[in-house]
Amino acid sequence: MNKMVWRGLVAVWMAAAAGHADFFTFEKPERAGPEMVAAGFLYVDAEDFDRYGGWRMDTQFVHLMGSPFLMATGVGKPVDDAVTTLAIPRAGEYRVWVRARNWVKDSSPGRFQVAVNGAPLDREFGAAPTDRWTWENGGTVFLPEGKSTLALHDLTGFYGRCDAILLTTDADYVPPEDTEAVCKERARLLGLSLEPAFAGDFDVIVVGAGSAGVPAAVAAARNGAKTALIQNRPVLGGNASLECGVGVNGAGGNHPGWRESGIIEEAGWIRAELDQINYSDAFRQLCEAEENLTVFLNQHVIDAVMENAETIAGVKAVSTLTGLISEYTGRQFIDCSGDGWLGFYAGAEYRHGREASREFSEALAPETPDRITMSGCIMGDDLGYMTAFRSRKTDRPVEFVRPEWVREIDTLESPHRTLNDVPGVGTWWMEHPGDIDDALHAEEARDELIKVTLAFWDYVKNKSSLIEKAEPYELVRIPILDAKRESRRLVGDYIVNQNDVEAGRLFADRIAYAGWDLDIHHPEGIYSGEGGSLDFKNNVPLSSVPFRSLYSKNIDNLLMAGRCLSYSHVALGTVRVQSTLATIGQAAGTAAAMCADQQISPRELGRRHISALQQELLKDDQTIQGIRNEDPDDLARTARVSASSYQKGGDEEEISFVKSIPLNRVRSAVIPVEGLQTLDAVRLYLESKSPAPVTVPVRISAMEHFAPQSPSEPIGQYGITVPANSTGWISVPVAAALPANTQFLQITLPAVSKVDWPIMATRGGPGGRAYDDKTVSGEFHALTIEPRPAAAGFKPQNVINGWTRLAQNASSMWRSDPAQPLPQWIELDFEHPVELNTVQLTFVTDPDGQRPTLPFSETCVKDYELSVFSDGEWETVLRERDNFQRHRVHRFKKQNAVKLRLTVSATHGAPSAGVFEIRAYNEAPPRF
C-alpha cells in the first residue's frame, strides 16, 4: 500500500456561484465558527465565512500580509454577498474593525460594505487613505445575544478585498497594523498557537511543487531519500497546474529530436493519457507512486532554521488557510519556490534584475545594472487553460468604459502582437512593466496585471480596428493568479551567461541541456508601444547546464532548481521554460539524495563525484550531451545482442524524390555520418532552369548535433558548376579528414536563382534539412557522400552502445524490419549465468516538438514481455500491456539467467518495434 501522505489538503475546488458555473473556485471547507476566546473579542477570518457568494479566496500573499483574504472579482460588476453567522455570547455594543486594502489609493475602486443582521454599517471599506493593508473603523453596533449575521456587500466589482472582521466591546481597543503583530493578535483572539508543530525529519526537503519541484522530489525519493515536498497551493504544478495552465515547453520545439526526457516525459504521457491540458493530476500520480515522498499542500515556507551561517537545519511553513506553523528538519534542501524564498530566508547570495553588459561581456545586457525583471501574467480559469481573461459574445451592444485608474494603451499592434479577431481569452504578452518586484511586492504586481487586462480590453473595444466586431462582447472573467517569469536568482559557484549559451558550451559538470531561444520580454510590458512584446528573442544552439549553477555559493546544503537558478538575466531566457527546468529539478533531486546518503555537500559531490551523478541521471533517462552510459553495474553492456530482425540502411539506387525546393534562400542538409573518419566527395542532385551555367559554392561542416545554431566545425568551401537547363547528380571532390566526434555533416548551398534542390523520399533516421532558423527533421535534400557511412541501419547492438537519441548518435536504436510482422524480439546473451532482478527499457516516443498529446506516439512499444533463459528453458518474468511511456523500470524476483529476451507484440501504430536501450541489473534499493 502506498505510504505517501498528503498533508495540509484542507481546501477543495467547489462549484462557484450561479452565473459562473463554467469555472471552479478555491474554497476552504470546514470553516471555523468564531468563538469569544478572549473576553469581549470576536475575530472573524473572511475565509471562514459560511458562503463566499461571488467573492474569491486568495492565499498567494500570506507570507507578505499575514493571512488569506476574500476578494470581489466581479470585473466591474458587484458580486454576490459573502455571508456568515455568528454566535454572540453576550449582548452589547460592539465596535467593528475591518482589515481591508484600498489597492488604488487615489481612486478606491474596491469599495464594499459590511452588513450586520442585514443593516449596512455607515462606512464604505477599501477606501482608506493608504494602499497598505489596514484596519478600518466601522463604528459601533448593538448585537443581541444569540445568532447574528455578517455580510460582505461588494459595491464595485473591482477587486475589493477583506481579510478579517474584528468585533470588540472594548471601545478603546485599536488593532495593530504591523503584519507580524497582526498575526500574533489573530492567534491570541482565536486561541491559536504560533509555536511550530513538528512535521517530520527528512533527508531531502523540496520547497515548491512546480515543474521543477515535482521532478526534484520524485527523483530524490526514487533514489532512496526520505523526501518532503512543501507546496503553497492546493494543487501541484505551479505555472503548469490546473490553476494556471501555462504550456510546458523546452528545447524540443527548436531542436528536432531534443524534447526533454526523464520524469517530465513520464508526466507528459500521463497527462496525455488523462486527456488533460494541465499537469496537476499527472504530477499527483507520480508523487503518489513514491513511498519515500510526503507532500504537504497549502504550506508556505516563511523561514529557514539555521544550524550555522552556512547550513540549513530546517524550515518553517505557515498554513495558507489556518495560519498554523509547522517545522520540518532535514539534511539537504532544494529551493524550487520560483522566487528563491528559501535561499532568501537562509541568507543565500542572490541577484535581482539585469546585470551590466560589462560584467559578463554580454552584448544583450544593458550598459548599467538595474532591477528590471520579466513580468509574469495572470493566468488560469480553473479548468486548466492558460488565459489572462475570458470574454463572451452577447446578443446586444456592450459598452466598456476604461476606469480612470487604469493606464491607457496608445499602441498595441507591434512585433509579436496581433489582433486578428475579437479575443476570447488573453495572451502571454499581457505584462506589466518590469520595475515591479514580483517577489517582495507580489500583490502589487498581480494587481497591476489586472489593470493591464482592463487596459487591453479598453483598446480592443474602443481603439482597435475591431471596434465594430467587438461591440457585442463583454469581459466576464479575469484570473487572480500571477504566473511569474522572473524574480530572484540565487547565486551558485558559477553564473551562466549569454556567451556560454550562444557558444553552446559543454561544461564538464553538465547535468542537463537547454535549447529555448534567448527569450527576454520587453521591460515596459504591454505599454512598450511599437517596441513590441520582446526585448530580444535570439536563436541559440543547445547549451549545457552546469551542476555548479544548481547549488548555493554560500549555503552548504542548499540546491536550487526552477527560475531561481544561478543564471544571468540574459541567459535565463533560454533556461526558464518548464520542460527544461524539470530536467534541472530532476538533477537537483538526484544530487540531493546522493549528498544526503554520503553526508557531503553539493559542492563536494560536484568536485569529487560528478561522473557518478551524470551516470545516475542517464540511468534515470536524463539526456546529457556527449555522455553515454558507462555504468559498470549494467550487465547488458557486455552482453552479445541479437534480434529476430532489424531494419537495414538503404542503397543509393533506392533514392527517389518527392518534391523540389527552390534555392530561394540559404538551405542546408544535415546527414548522419557516425563512425566516418574521412570524406572523399559529396554528390548533389540539382535541377536547373537557368539558360546559362551557374557557379554554386558548397559549404561543408562537421557537427555533433542536428539543431539550429548548433556549433559546427568548417571542413571547407567548394565550387561546383550546375549546367544550364539540367537535372542530375554533380560531384563535389572533398578529400578531407573529419574532426573527432563528428556525428553529422552539414552541406549548405546559398540562394541561387532558377535552381532547385529536391527532397528525397523519407527513409527515417536522424538529421533533416534547415533554412533560416527552422529545421525540418526527417526530410533530406538530395545528396550522397563517398565513402558511404557504414550501413548500420538499426542494428540490435545499438541498444547497449550507451546512446538513447538519434539526434545525438545516428546508431542509437534497434528497429525491427518493418517488412516482417510483429511480434519481434531482441535478445541479450550474457554467455554465462548472471543474477538479475531489474530491467530498464527505453522505447521510442518521437522526441520532436513540445509536450506529447494523444494519440500516443505510434513508434512507442505498447505490448511486450520479458523472458529469461535459465537451465535450458525460457521463463516469462513479466508481461506488460498498453504501455505508453518511453522509459520503464521493471523489478522482479532475482533470476539466474544466461539470456534476457524482450518480445514486442504490438506498438501504437508503427510496423516496427523500436528500442533505444536495454539495461539489466542485480540491485537492491536504496541505491546509495
Side-chain angles (χ1 to χ4, degrees):
M1 183 175 178
N2 193 295
K3 296 181 180 178
M4 194 195 78
V5 180
W6 289 79
R7 303 285 178 84
L9 184 52
V10 290
V12 293
W13 297 94
M14 304 285 290
H20 294 277
D22 60 334
F23 67 87
F24 288 74
T25 189
F26 177 41
E27 293 190 355
K28 179 182 178 182
E30 301 180 13
R31 323 277 214 273
E35 298 178 358
M36 191 170 282
V37 175
F41 289 88
L42 278 172
Y43 194 102
V44 185
D45 274 326
E47 66 275 9
D48 274 332
F49 270 40
D50 297 331
R51 301 192 308 276
Y52 291 176
W55 296 66
R56 300 191 69 196
M57 184 171 65
D58 194 346
T59 65
Q60 294 175 85
F61 316 113
V62 167
H63 58 301
L64 297 172
M65 55 76 63
S67 60
F69 57 88
L70 291 186
M71 184 161 64
T73 57
V75 198
K77 296 180 180 179
V79 304
D80 293 341
D81 291 357
V83 181
T84 196
T85 302
L86 306 178
I88 305 300
R90 187 176 63 209
E93 289 285 337
Y94 285 81
R95 183 169 296 280
V96 181
W97 291 94
V98 178
R99 191 171 189 237
R101 185 175 191 183
N102 178 3
W103 66 285
V104 185
K105 185 175 65 173
D106 296 333
S107 303
S108 306
R111 300 183 310 281
F112 63 95
Q113 292 175 310
V114 173
V116 180
N117 293 325
L121 299 178
D122 189 21
R123 172 160 185 171
E124 292 185 1
F125 298 96
T130 176
D131 58 4
R132 301 183 64 183
W133 281 95
T134 188
W135 289 101
E136 299 184 44
N137 189 340
T140 59
V141 62
F142 179 80
L143 296 177
E145 183 177 345
K147 300 293 185 181
S148 286
T149 61
L150 291 179
L152 300 179
H153 179 67
D154 177 31
L155 296 173
T156 67
F158 276 131
Y159 307 94
R161 51 204 74 180
C162 178
D163 171 38
I165 299 173
L166 195 161
L167 307 173
T168 179
T169 57
D170 183 348
D172 297 325
Y173 174 83
V174 177
E177 293 288 347
D178 176 74
T179 298
E180 184 177 352
V182 169
C183 291
K184 290 180 179 178
E185 186 70 344
R186 173 179 180 270
R188 181 181 78 87
L189 298 179
L190 289 175
L192 302 176
S193 173
L194 291 180
E195 286 298 312
F198 182 63
D201 181 62
F202 300 90
D203 298 318
V204 176
I205 293 177
V206 181
V207 176
S211 56
V214 171
V218 170
R222 286 181 178 178
N223 282 284
K226 182 183 178 184
T227 305
L229 177 58
I230 305 174
Q231 166 73 331
N232 62 359
R233 301 303 305 165
V235 295
L236 303 178
N239 283 355
S241 71
L242 167 67
E243 295 188 292
C244 291
V246 178
V248 174
N249 295 324
N254 294 336
H255 303 278
W258 286 95
R259 187 176 71 227
E260 291 83 354
S261 55
I263 292 170
I264 193 61
E265 178 80 352
E266 289 182 55
W269 287 114
I270 294 172
R271 163 184 169 270
E273 194 265 342
L274 294 171
D275 195 22
Q276 293 182 345
I277 299 163
N278 64 86
Y279 276 71
S280 287
D281 280 347
F283 283 156
R284 177 183 55 80
Q285 285 193 21
L286 287 174
C287 290
E288 286 178 343
E290 300 305 323
E291 293 191 359
N292 286 332
L293 176 58
T294 306
V295 177
F296 299 86
L297 297 175
N298 296 310
Q299 299 287 315
H300 199 299
V301 169
I302 55 171
D303 199 8
V305 180
M306 303 302 292
E307 180 179 324
N308 52 53
E310 294 82 30
T311 308
I312 305 174
V315 298
K316 293 179 182 178
V318 62
S319 166
T320 59
L321 299 176
T322 68
L324 296 176
I325 297 174
S326 300
E327 185 170 328
Y328 312 74
T329 57
R331 274 143 294 290
Q332 296 294 324
F333 298 82
I334 310 176
D335 192 336
C336 298
S337 66
D339 289 332
W341 279 113
L342 176 55
F344 177 78
Y345 294 135
E349 186 177 330
Y350 71 91
R351 294 188 172 205
H352 184 110
R354 305 188 294 185
E355 292 85 359
S357 58
R358 63 181 178 276
E359 181 169 2
F360 299 116
S361 298
E362 292 180 309
L364 296 172
E367 185 175 342
T368 57
D370 55 39
R371 292 185 59 80
I372 295 291
T373 58
M374 284 183 285
S375 166
C377 289
I378 45 176
M379 288 291 179
D381 57 4
D382 301 333
L383 293 175
Y385 292 89
M386 181 182 76
T387 60
F389 67 82
R390 279 197 180 274
S391 71
R392 68 184 171 198
K393 188 176 183 180
T394 70
D395 57 2
R396 66 191 189 283
V398 179
E399 182 184 24
F400 181 81
V401 178
R402 176 178 56 86
E404 53 87 18
W405 41 270
V406 170
R407 179 177 170 182
E408 190 174 8
I409 295 176
D410 297 318
T411 302
L412 189 64
E413 287 84 354
S414 55
H416 300 282
R417 291 181 187 150
T418 56
L419 288 175
N420 297 321
D421 203 349
V422 179
V425 297
T427 185
W428 58 266
W429 40 261
M430 296 175 65
E431 300 165 305
H432 62 61
D435 57 358
I436 301 176
D437 189 330
D438 276 17
L440 288 176
H441 301 124
E443 189 176 354
E444 293 88 335
R446 189 279 310 276
D447 291 347
E448 191 62 31
L449 291 172
I450 292 173
K451 297 177 189 176
V452 162
T453 302
L454 295 170
F456 172 86
W457 192 243
D458 169 59
Y459 186 89
V460 170
K461 292 279 289 184
N462 301 318
K463 293 185 177 182
S464 73
S465 60
L466 301 170
I467 291 177
E468 186 174 336
K469 290 183 68 175
E471 187 179 43
Y473 283 81
E474 66 176 344
L475 192 62
V476 296
R477 172 91 163 138
I478 299 177
I480 61 172
L481 285 172
D482 185 356
K484 301 177 185 178
R485 288 186 174 89
E486 180 188 9
S487 52
R488 295 187 193 96
R489 289 167 282 113
L490 303 180
V491 176
D493 274 355
Y494 188 80
I495 300 175
V496 179
N497 61 66
Q498 174 189 344
N499 303 300
D500 298 323
V501 170
E502 290 182 334
R505 183 175 173 188
L506 287 179
F507 294 95
D509 62 337
R510 58 193 181 275
I511 43 77
Y513 62 85
W516 191 253
D517 294 334
L518 268 183
D519 176 1
I520 299 293
H521 293 201
H522 200 287
E524 290 298 321
I526 201 169
Y527 304 111
S528 65
E530 295 180 358
S533 58
L534 299 172
D535 196 6
F536 49 83
K537 192 176 191 294
N538 296 357
N539 297 124
V540 291
L542 288 170
S543 59
S544 66
V545 179
F547 183 58
R548 286 167 294 159
S549 68
L550 270 66
Y551 61 82
S552 171
K553 179 179 180 180
N554 64 308
I555 304 298
D556 288 343
N557 59 342
L558 175 64
L559 295 112
M560 52 270 194
R563 56 186 171 82
C564 58
L565 278 170
S566 184
Y567 268 60
S568 74
H569 168 82
V570 171
L572 189 70
T574 190
V575 79
R576 63 181 175 81
V577 286
Q578 294 183 91
S579 190
T580 301
L581 295 178
T583 64
I584 298 170
Q586 181 171 344
T590 304
M594 296 174 72
C595 289
D597 180 74
Q598 299 177 37
Q599 300 181 41
I600 60 175
S601 69
R603 179 177 289 112
E604 187 175 356
L605 178 73
R607 290 177 177 176
R608 294 176 49 201
H609 306 290
I610 191 62
S611 179
L613 173 59
Q614 291 168 331
Q615 287 298 314
E616 184 58 38
L617 290 170
L618 293 183
K619 185 176 184 179
D620 296 335
D621 197 32
Q622 185 124 312
T623 299
I624 306 174
Q625 300 151 276
I627 299 178
R628 70 168 78 195
N629 171 23
E630 295 178 347
D631 187 350
D633 295 328
D634 179 6
L635 302 171
R637 292 180 60 229
T638 57
R640 185 164 51 88
V641 189
S642 59
S644 54
S645 70
Y646 74 94
Q647 182 177 347
K648 300 174 177 62
D651 298 323
E652 183 177 315
E653 287 73 27
E654 298 173 351
I655 292 176
S656 59
F657 309 108
V658 293
K659 59 183 174 182
S660 290
I661 302 291
L663 283 173
N664 56 358
R665 64 189 70 192
V666 176
R667 298 185 181 275
S668 64
V670 179
I671 62 171
V673 293
E674 190 253 345
L676 202 65
Q677 296 181 341
T678 61
L679 179 64
D680 294 338
V682 173
R683 299 180 68 218
L684 304 173
Y685 189 89
L686 300 172
E687 298 174 348
S688 173
K689 298 181 179 65
S690 172
V694 180
T695 299
V696 178
V698 179
R699 187 171 72 249
I700 302 175
S701 306
M703 305 172 69
E704 288 192 41
H705 311 292
F706 169 51
Q709 310 297 319
S710 183
S712 60
E713 186 170 341
I715 293 174
Q717 182 161 302
Y718 308 86
I720 61 171
T721 299
V722 182
N725 297 311
S726 64
T727 297
W729 292 95
I730 300 175
S731 185
V732 185
V734 179
L738 298 183
N741 300 319
T742 297
Q743 295 291 322
F744 295 89
L745 283 180
Q746 181 178 41
I747 294 88
T748 304
L749 301 183
V752 181
S753 177
K754 298 183 179 180
V755 175
D756 290 355
W757 194 4
I759 300 296
M760 298 185 291
T762 301
R763 293 174 294 171
R769 65 184 179 94
Y771 61 95
D772 298 335
D773 60 352
K774 300 177 177 62
T775 58
V776 184
S777 183
E779 281 194 6
F780 298 87
H781 286 290
L783 65 88
T784 65
I785 63 172
E786 299 173 2
R788 299 287 304 277
F794 299 95
K795 291 183 177 179
Q797 294 87 342
N798 294 346
V799 300
I800 62 168
N801 70 6
W803 304 105
T804 60
R805 283 183 187 268
L806 290 173
Q808 188 168 31
N809 184 282
S811 301
S812 58
M813 67 176 287
W814 165 68
R815 180 183 287 159
S816 65
D817 186 349
Q820 298 190 35
L822 298 175
Q824 295 287 315
W825 55 262
I826 184 168
E827 180 179 296
L828 275 62
D829 186 347
F830 304 110
E831 300 184 326
H832 58 82
V834 298
E835 292 183 337
L836 63 88
N837 61 7
T838 303
V839 172
Q840 295 191 186
L841 304 169
T842 303
F843 299 121
V844 183
T845 53
D846 182 16
D848 289 345
Q850 301 295 2
R851 289 297 101 206
T853 56
L854 285 176
F856 296 124
S857 171
E858 67 173 18
T859 61
C860 185
V861 168
K862 179 182 179 184
D863 300 335
Y864 60 93
E865 59 185 54
L866 287 171
S867 306
V868 297
F869 186 76
S870 180
D871 297 328
E873 294 183 352
W874 284 100
E875 178 184 353
T876 299
V877 294
L878 179 136
R879 288 186 176 89
E880 187 73 17
R881 297 293 179 265
D882 298 320
N883 171 64
F884 51 80
Q885 291 286 8
R886 165 186 158 96
H887 188 63
R888 297 299 307 272
V889 179
H890 295 295
R891 296 184 173 91
F892 42 81
K893 183 180 178 181
K894 185 182 296 183
Q895 303 289 323
N896 240 343
V898 177
K899 297 179 182 179
L900 171 71
R901 176 179 286 183
L902 168 67
T903 302
V904 177
S905 54
T907 69
H908 283 277
S912 302
V915 181
F916 278 130
E917 184 173 63
I918 300 176
R919 295 188 182 209
Y921 293 94
N922 181 30
E923 63 183 11
R927 295 180 187 163
F928 303 111

